[in-house]
Amino acid sequence: MEFGLNGKVVDVGVEPAETVAEVLRERAGLTGTKVACGTGVCGTCTVLLDGRTAASCLLPAGAAAGREITTVEGLGGDHPVQRAFAAHDALQCGYCTPGFVVEAAAFTDRWRAEHGTAEPSREQIAEALAGHLCRCGAYAGIYAAVAAACRGEHDAGEVTPPRVEALSKITGAAKYTADIVLDGQLEGVIVRSPHAHAKVGGIRFDGPLAEMLPPDRVVRYVGQPVAAVAAPTRAEALAAAARVEVDYTELPAVLASDAETPVYPTKESRGWAPRASEGPLSSAKWNGNVRGPAGMSWRGGTAAKRIEKARGDDAQTLVEATYTTGVQAHTCMEPHGCVARWEGEELHLHLSTQAVTRVAEQAVKRWKLRPEQLHIVAEHVGGGFGSKVNVTSDVVAAVELSRLHGAPVRVVLSRPEELVDGGTRPGVRIELALLADADGKLSAFTMDAHGDSGVSIGSNAAWHSRFFYGNAPRRIRDYDHVTNRAPGIPFRGPGLPPMLWALEQSVDEMALRRGEDPIELRRRWDGNAKRHALYDRAAELPMWRERTDPGDGRVRRGVGVAAANYMYFLDPGTKVSLTVEQGAVVARIATQDIGTGSRTVIAEVVRSALDLRPGQVRVELGHSDHAYGPTSASSCTTPSIAPAAQDAADRLRKALAGRSLEEAEGLGVVGRRPRDRRGYVTPFPLDHFAIGRGFSGAVVVTEVEVDTLLGRIRPTRVWSGVTSGHVYAPRLARNQCEGGIIQGIGYALYEQRHDDPSTGTVLTANLEDYRIPGIADTPEIDVHFHTEGWDHVPGRGIGLGEVCTMAVAASIGNAVRHATARRPHDLPIRPDLLLKGIGA
């Protein structure tokens, strides 16, 4: 088939079932065109077809015959939109960026032709980009970039992006795991269980097959991996998977935790249960399919007695309610993926992971290798949010198939697989009682959190309430309700968003009953001095001071506030190596950049410390062979890598002894993260993590517009204050917080996994049925960093990527209460539930 591609005529052979996206990626090698959903919903595959944008994942390859296709590579890297995206940091992980760039370039060109350098409205930009999704939530930067390009601000001139890898991402040059193609590479596909609960007998196939069953050969949810096969193309691999015959003996499906059939009938099988939270598993007893209580109460008996007495007295300062949250899918734009290749006894992995070092340790143990026999590369990673911190099914399938076939094998999950088995935040039902005394002080509270984590255990929502609002007596109990559903796993601030959904709404209700300003009540109860600075600033916001009675019209506005509290984590073993090479300093570390800016943080620290130009520092990360680096989890990356980079730069300056870089070719040093001056809460690292002294925090104020006829809620303005300490890369940090707010909005208003109550089959297995926020859902966002209070930390800065998202849903709930005089108790706040609550 002959067609035009980026200004040149090409002739390639195509198969009848191939799409344009497949031809571009697999035959033309233009991997800037991504495939994330496969159904034309997300926009990552956008190209220009005869000058008009099109979703190439839906276009039959034959539709391109005789026509002109322009991909992101064909824009040349100097289109005003590409300059603007780089200048305004309109990206994070970058996986969706090429599609946004192509669409925005087409819109900008049309706009400039019709309107000159007039600026389009937010609504016009949102309409133009409505077919694109960014899971990182970089929409604020995208708005700014498109507006600036339309104004003509980036028609010419040099751009110094705040993000060091921006140019590779906006041009499509950045390579992700799904883009890797090795000589002789096969495509792997996972065969999954159609049953929620079954015993697997024989498995028959006419070729090499890798089994992926647990030791007891029992599958415990629909979509659980059973086996994997490989073939030269994905189409052939799918056909091969369809030929696999599996003997299943169905067992009673446990879709409610009170069922008599145990999901894990033995102590041994309970040990195989996945973990829904980070850190060590709290001990707890099992009662059928319920595990618990677990928790960390403080004078729990006293708390329960005070609450019970207040019930008998019908106390007005006793707030009791039950809150629920839905199951939220991680659904990163880049799906889980791995390319595995054996070379003799050495294993090479290209991997989409948040945890190069952690996964390396797990892989060495699983496949009985020496550390030097394993080599992981994760050059660019398209998001994670907690779902990519372990050896996952894609890794197991790729490694085993590569060994069986003696060839490289790539396994990349489809979007349905990602939404079923790629990870979810557990749903939670929280029963909360909150009591204030006659002076308005917090007297006691009890919290029982019942986690819906499917086959996983370790739900810890209530546990986190131990560390907020002082030391009033509190009884805290977490329960796992185990069912035959897909496993819950850690998700950005695991346990905190559902806990705060309940606690922060109850605190707000207490303020209403006492006739007290909700910010002032929090200030009195909260002993954290850093958050006091945020309360003071929030109280002076015009959005807060000018709150008015929303009235009884159709559209009502409300303003709500919520606070968050989070531990300060770090990895004390972090190292950064620096080597002088060809007149530049090269920094190397075995951490990864999932869009959070790790490259930029290291580059800026080294450049500033050595007084170098940006081009004189190069950062290579994502390789397991480099110096030890932290996992991108628990907001520990920046407070680990930045001090280590500073230490390395200080050592290199001393070693240079006044010589130029040209005179010191080959000179190398290794820097280590210095110890905090006040030590750590944990005497030794837990899975490489240490808990530092002090809590980070956030305060969020949100304004919403509620349509009481249609039940729609639209956040219009959000102010977020974060106790971050020193900010190493301000624009990137702001981008992180803006994205965290967007994810919090999705959690509050849209996102919920649904499954068939009779079979356990996930029904929201595409990005049409599982709704995540788009650019039109983005409010005006103002982020404030409180930079004081962390002088005991090397570099004086801590992580902020998780605390920024935790309280967003609760602030929306409180704003809806202000607007409607009815408090929402269930997430997401669906229109039908809202209308029912307000009696519309």
Side-chain angles (χ1 to χ4, degrees), residues 697-712:
V699 174
V700 182
V701 180
T702 301
E703 178 188 71
V704 300
E705 187 178 85
V706 180
D707 185 329
T708 60
L709 178 63
L710 301 179
R712 292 178 180 168

Side-chain angles (χ1 to χ4, degrees), residues 170-445:
I170 62 171
T171 59
K175 296 291 184 183
Y176 298 79
T177 297
D179 302 330
I180 300 299
V181 178
L182 306 177
D183 290 341
Q185 180 173 295
L186 304 177
E187 297 293 328
V189 169
I190 297 174
V191 178
R192 297 179 180 275
S193 170
H195 305 293
H197 201 190
K199 179 83 171 183
V200 176
I203 302 177
R204 294 175 296 281
F205 180 58
D206 56 5
L209 176 143
E211 288 197 10
M212 300 179 65
L213 293 165
D216 62 359
R217 300 182 68 81
V218 173
V219 290
R220 291 180 167 85
Y221 60 93
V222 175
Q224 181 171 337
V226 174
V229 296
T233 68
R234 180 167 176 81
E236 291 173 289
L238 287 169
R243 298 196 305 272
V244 175
E245 298 178 359
V246 183
D247 295 328
Y248 295 100
T249 301
E250 286 195 65
L251 302 172
V254 177
L255 300 175
S257 61
D258 57 358
E260 293 184 3
T261 302
V263 175
Y264 296 109
T266 66
K267 183 177 181 180
E268 182 183 21
S269 63
R270 290 171 184 169
W272 306 329
R275 300 292 186 263
S277 59
E278 296 172 338
L281 184 68
S282 299
S283 61
K285 294 182 178 179
W286 286 76
N287 180 14
N289 289 313
V290 178
R291 181 182 178 276
M296 195 191 310
S297 297
W298 169 253
R299 300 174 62 196
T302 300
K305 290 176 181 177
R306 289 182 181 178
I307 297 291
E308 193 59 38
K309 182 178 185 303
R311 287 194 186 108
D313 296 342
D314 197 23
Q316 283 298 106
T317 55
L318 175 63
V319 174
E320 293 189 274
T322 298
Y323 298 88
T324 69
T325 65
V327 175
Q328 182 185 24
H330 297 68
T331 192
C332 314
M333 281 294 103
E334 184 196 17
H336 286 71
C338 177
V339 178
R341 172 173 59 92
W342 287 93
E343 276 191 4
E345 296 300 315
E346 298 204 350
L347 177 59
H348 298 258
L349 302 177
H350 289 270
L351 188 59
S352 180
T353 182
Q354 298 172 239
V356 167
T357 302
R358 176 188 174 105
V359 170
E361 292 175 350
Q362 293 176 355
V364 163
K365 183 177 179 180
R366 183 182 185 108
W367 285 288
K368 297 179 174 57
L369 303 170
R370 298 189 306 277
E372 62 271 18
Q373 292 177 303
L374 180 72
H375 312 278
I376 294 178
V377 177
E379 187 175 357
H380 293 283
V381 180
F385 315 115
S387 68
K388 299 176 179 177
V389 297
N390 293 304
V391 169
T392 43
S393 61
D394 53 302
V395 183
V396 175
V399 171
E400 296 297 347
L401 288 170
S402 178
R403 179 144 53 187
L404 284 170
H405 286 271
V409 174
R410 178 173 63 182
V411 176
V412 177
L413 301 194
S414 66
R415 186 55 49 180
E417 288 179 297
E418 192 71 25
L419 283 161
V420 171
D421 202 28
T424 57
R425 186 193 300 279
V428 184
R429 185 182 82 253
I430 293 179
E431 299 158 358
L432 177 63
L434 194 69
L435 178 66
D437 62 19
D439 297 324
K441 297 178 182 178
L442 179 60
S443 176
F445 74 80

